[in-house]
Amino acid sequence: MKTDTAPDKVNKTWLKDYQQPDYGIRHTRLEFELSPQKTKVLARLQIGLAPDRAEGEPLILDGEGLELVAVRIDGQALAEDQYEVTDTQLIIPRVPVSFTLETEVFINPAGNTALSGLYMSNGMFCTQCEAEGFRHITYYMDRPDVLSTYDVRIEAEKAANPVLLANGNPVQSGDLPESDERPGWHFAEWSDPHPKPCYLFALVAGDLAHVEDQFQTKSGRDVTLRVFVQPENVGKCDYTLDALKRSMAWDEETFGREYDLDIFMIVAVDHFNFGAMENKGLNIFNSAYVLASPETATDMDYELIEGIVAHEYFHNWSGNRVTCRDWFQLCLKEGFTVFRDQEFSADQRSRPVQRIKDVRRLWQSQFPEDAGPLAHPVRPESYITIDNFYTATVYNKGAELVRMMKTLVGADDFRRATDIYFDRHDGEAATVDDFVICMEEASGRDLGQFRRWYSDAGTPEISVTDNWDNGNYTLTLTQKTAPTPGQPEKPARHIPVKLALVGTDGPLTDEELIELEGEAKTLTFSGLPEKPVPSLCRGFSAPVRLKQALDVADRLTLIQSDTDPFNRWSQAHLLAQDLIKSFAGQGKIDQPEEAVFAYANALGVILQDETLEPAFKAEILRVPTESDIVRSVEIIDPEAIGTARKTFRSILLKQLRPLLMQAWEANRTAPPYSPAAEQAGQRGLKNTALALLMAEPDDEVMSLIQKQIETADNMTDEAAAVSLAAFADRPEREQILAGFYAKWQHETLVVNKWLAWQALSGLPGALAEIQRLMAHEAFDLRNPNKVRALIGAFAMENPGTFHLADGSGYAFFFDRIRELDPVNPQVAARLLTATENWRRLEPGRRGKLSEKLKALCATEGLSKNVYEMAERLADGE
Ligand code: B3K
Ligand code: ZN
């Protein structure tokens, strides 16, 4: 690990400095002799000077933490004075125009706790190379615009590693001759004919079982599909395989994209820094997004598996066949691929509910990012480490930009544009601009102003004013974006606004698309029978905030009478949020109590509406979390928010109790369990009703909880009931939690849920409980899933405990960051996003948290990951 700290030692990389590489790597051959502490890597690279470059450029390869044994050019060993090795590079001043470079290095996979490069998870070897992990494996031009074909040979002890996998197609395998040094070894060779950047390289070796299926592509290619897992999990892969087949068929149907190798593999590993990785032909997944059985996985787990399997598969075209020129273009593959997986899920499940979930996610993580010290453009301009820019802005806002372009050019031209893009840039490293150019060419539209969405950070706010005059209605939309770090001026953006006017009995106009390009736009309507309520940004047509002065009655009109399901939900969610804020003394609604009665009535009508799907009802019934309120207030006072939310839930419950009981009863699903949308929606509604009933956890409701725990035949119902018990101040709590642990202690993914529920509890003593759990056998700082379950859930989603007034939550959190940083800097840095709202805290907490950030920033020996985050967070103080 690199341990630069002082700002002057930390190099920033800038988009404006991009230069094409001096050399290309035509072909890469890698030979691995795997051994946990000392793996040998031989790299044989066919290198050539780039066509437009003059001879004499030095060859500079990236490499970190490598023990270099030999360097050869065209078979000739280089003397030590013919090259230079630094902490991060191998520099060869003089090389021929075209040559073969061989390097031999040793690396230590077992010591790699950062989980970047080649590392070990539960005894198996695996890799993670995006973004810059390959340089921990061998010396290479570790940048996405160097594309090469690969041959890989893996040698390893057969008993411990019967399975040896790499990218591409299998070539040959067999036993190695017996020898004293390597008794019982074998080998496998793989070949990947598709040129790829090294971040897509992957290798896996271990004792794995697999499930298998076949897929025939539209043009008749037979593809073997395999999902590899630890042998005890082989019964939990069927859904992953099924989701994969559906993804392959969908991408052919929707984007005309076929798979291009003879085999597609997914491998599940327990130690993984994020969700999954799209390595060519050999996706490596966090086991949480592969393994599922009705007894151990929730509906939400199934949904995530489906979405992530699709996402990684779709990268085969949007990311792998067409990759990124440099890491500033990350949204080119990530934003587009998130858009693709969102569309897939919308087609597999309920489109309106999918849209609600996608926007909920954007509001939870991207809007706060855009409004705080970590704000950055979808295409950032600089970074210390790109690891810190795998953000909601790049991914989720990036997806919204693709969605807006589709709205602007229309579905047919959008599909023509993606065809042009894939054809034109196949086998290349492209830029965001290349993508937008394809949209322009296919549609004939000028997207010049639209490009600001990529370069300008911040969420535009659209203020809405209107005037009603005897059947004539005028509506004025005005846009404004607040300054963000480094960007004081924000010119107007090109914003697609879908709108309709709604009356008490439903829409008064058809939906139309308005393009807001200037600062403001005024629209006039005549002949309307009543004063309408404008339904704006229907389907969330643009990632903006609407500033609309609607009274409660108008908002209820939209909740009840709009035909756009997204706006019905968003109005309900935002009204609930405003009501809670009003109870906390920060809202604009007078007499919030009466308004809650009216709101409850509206919810009651929705609950009884037979035409609405249960999943939609569940979304609308879900009370905003404390974190939702924290995100939406100007000044964060966690205690006032906690109390206000309780008040709101209690009043709602008083009004709705019989209907909630009925919803709980009526939505119990009949066996057998199915993870498909319909049943999942019913369980979602039943368990959301139960959650609201737990606003007053009396004996009657606790008996429902107990009954559900005892009779559940699936983890969704069991988890819902046990987690609600974990949040309740009831005598049964301890015994329910202990019983759950005793039952599931051998299922690590289930135990992670148990850790998270306790980390989310807002009960007095929650912090002490979390501290105790750090020492529990179920916790392990080296496993990112466990870190996220316990520390991540506490810091990100338990504001009452994280922001304890005496600062003890902060002290605990920063101790953990310091402990984790030397183990896994990427995960430690990511956790720090929990502090991004510190400037909005009430003064007491604000002072305490900013002190902690400043102290962290000044700490010697931080990783550059944590240093960069702390510096951006504390900047200006
Ligand atoms: N491309 C990977 C993310 C890699 C993150 C590296 N820090 C997974 C994905 O987005 O599909
Ligand atoms: Zn991705």
Side-chain angles (χ1 to χ4, degrees), residues 712-864:
D713 67 349
N714 63 79
M715 182 51 73
T716 308
D717 288 337
E718 190 175 350
V722 176
S723 62
L724 289 170
F727 308 150
D729 195 2
R730 287 282 309 194
E732 301 91 331
R733 175 180 190 271
E734 214 163 295
Q735 177 245 322
I736 290 176
L737 281 169
F740 187 86
Y741 182 74
K743 179 172 171 192
W744 293 111
Q745 56 185 310
H746 301 300
E747 290 282 348
T748 175
L749 297 174
V750 179
V751 168
N752 293 348
K753 297 180 195 302
W754 175 86
L755 288 171
W757 300 330
Q758 294 168 89
L760 292 171
S761 142
L763 299 174
L767 182 59
E769 187 168 57
I770 295 165
Q771 273 164 326
R772 274 198 304 280
L773 286 169
M774 290 285 302
H776 194 281
E777 59 174 5
F779 186 76
D780 176 4
L781 198 73
R782 291 182 180 219
N783 184 328
N785 286 354
K786 296 195 178 285
V787 171
R788 283 185 284 260
L790 193 60
I791 305 167
F794 149 76
M796 312 257 186
E797 294 296 330
N798 186 351
T801 310
F802 181 57
H803 298 290
L804 279 170
D806 63 0
S808 51
Y810 305 148
F812 169 73
F813 177 73
F814 279 85
D815 286 349
R816 300 293 76 75
I817 296 289
R818 287 168 200 277
E819 195 181 348
L820 184 59
D821 189 30
V823 176
N824 190 328
Q826 278 188 44
V827 174
R830 177 57 62 102
L831 285 178
L832 279 172
T833 56
T835 66
E836 73 186 342
N837 58 16
W838 68 268
R839 280 203 182 81
R840 287 190 293 115
L841 286 166
E842 56 76 27
R845 289 167 169 98
R846 176 189 159 124
K848 291 192 172 76
L849 188 46
S850 82
E851 282 307 311
K852 289 281 180 197
L853 278 170
K854 269 190 271 175
L856 182 65
C857 226
T859 306
E860 281 293 308
L862 292 180
S863 68
K864 57 181 182 176

Side-chain angles (χ1 to χ4, degrees), residues 330-374:
L330 185 57
C331 69
L332 177 68
K333 74 178 179 80
E334 295 305 346
F336 186 25
T337 306
V338 170
F339 170 79
R340 278 151 56 70
D341 83 57
Q342 290 176 346
E343 286 297 289
F344 168 75
S345 296
D347 285 344
Q348 303 292 306
R349 293 167 179 261
S350 153
R351 183 162 281 273
V353 173
Q354 183 63 33
R355 190 65 186 135
I356 291 168
K357 289 181 177 175
D358 292 339
V359 176
R360 208 190 260 286
R361 173 125 195 235
L362 192 81
W363 285 354
Q364 277 166 2
S365 34
Q366 201 282 323
F367 274 37
E369 191 163 73
D370 239 354
L374 299 178

Side-chain angles (χ1 to χ4, degrees), residues 580 584 626 629-630 637-649 799-800:
I580 298 171
E626 284 183 26
I629 310 302
V630 161
D637 176 347
E639 275 151 29
I641 289 170
T643 311
R645 185 170 179 273
K646 275 202 188 89
T647 308
F648 175 78
R649 287 173 82 218

Side-chain angles (χ1 to χ4, degrees), residues 130 276 278 311-312 315 333-334 337-338 395:
E130 189 178 0
E278 70 263 24
H311 179 99
E312 305 311 332
H315 267 314
K333 74 178 179 80
E334 295 305 346
T337 306
V338 170
Y395 275 64

